[in-house]
mmCIF file of all heavy atoms in Angstrom:
data_model
loop_
_atom_site.group_PDB
_atom_site.id
_atom_site.type_symbol
_atom_site.label_atom_id
_atom_site.label_comp_id
_atom_site.label_asym_id
_atom_site.label_seq_id
_atom_site.Cartn_x
_atom_site.Cartn_y
_atom_site.Cartn_z
ATOM 1 N N ALA E 27 5.218 4.070 14.158
ATOM 2 C CA ALA E 27 6.473 4.295 14.860
ATOM 3 C C ALA E 27 7.434 3.138 14.610
ATOM 4 O O ALA E 27 7.057 1.980 14.557
ATOM 5 C CB ALA E 27 6.245 4.467 16.318
ATOM 6 N N ALA E 29 12.070 2.599 15.146
ATOM 7 C CA ALA E 29 13.346 3.273 15.387
ATOM 8 C C ALA E 29 13.986 3.733 14.101
ATOM 9 O O ALA E 29 14.747 4.703 14.078
ATOM 10 C CB ALA E 29 14.310 2.341 16.124
ATOM 11 N N ASN E 93 -1.043 14.251 -13.734
ATOM 12 C CA ASN E 93 -0.659 13.366 -14.806
ATOM 13 C C ASN E 93 0.840 13.298 -15.071
ATOM 14 O O ASN E 93 1.393 12.231 -15.443
ATOM 15 C CB ASN E 93 -1.394 13.735 -16.123
ATOM 16 C CG ASN E 93 -2.891 13.307 -16.080
ATOM 17 O OD1 ASN E 93 -3.197 12.407 -15.323
ATOM 18 N ND2 ASN E 93 -3.703 14.004 -16.811
ATOM 19 N N LYS E 103 8.057 2.623 -11.578
ATOM 20 C CA LYS E 103 7.165 1.858 -10.685
ATOM 21 C C LYS E 103 7.850 0.708 -10.009
ATOM 22 O O LYS E 103 7.614 0.403 -8.867
ATOM 23 C CB LYS E 103 5.929 1.461 -11.365
ATOM 24 C CG LYS E 103 6.045 0.397 -12.462
ATOM 25 C CD LYS E 103 4.727 0.048 -13.110
ATOM 26 C CE LYS E 103 5.003 -0.912 -14.237
ATOM 27 N NZ LYS E 103 3.750 -1.115 -14.970
ATOM 28 N N THR E 119 7.675 21.806 -17.459
ATOM 29 C CA THR E 119 8.129 22.086 -18.839
ATOM 30 C C THR E 119 9.310 23.042 -18.710
ATOM 31 O O THR E 119 9.538 23.666 -17.663
ATOM 32 C CB THR E 119 6.972 22.788 -19.596
ATOM 33 O OG1 THR E 119 6.738 24.055 -19.040
ATOM 34 C CG2 THR E 119 5.731 21.931 -19.666
ATOM 35 N N ASN E 127 11.642 29.325 -8.714
ATOM 36 C CA ASN E 127 12.536 29.856 -7.674
ATOM 37 C C ASN E 127 13.232 28.659 -7.096
ATOM 38 O O ASN E 127 12.639 27.779 -6.488
ATOM 39 C CB ASN E 127 11.714 30.547 -6.604
ATOM 40 C CG ASN E 127 12.518 31.004 -5.427
ATOM 41 O OD1 ASN E 127 13.744 30.776 -5.333
ATOM 42 N ND2 ASN E 127 11.895 31.635 -4.478
#
Side-chain angles (χ1 to χ4, degrees):
N93 285 336
K103 67 182 176 187
T119 65
N127 173 0

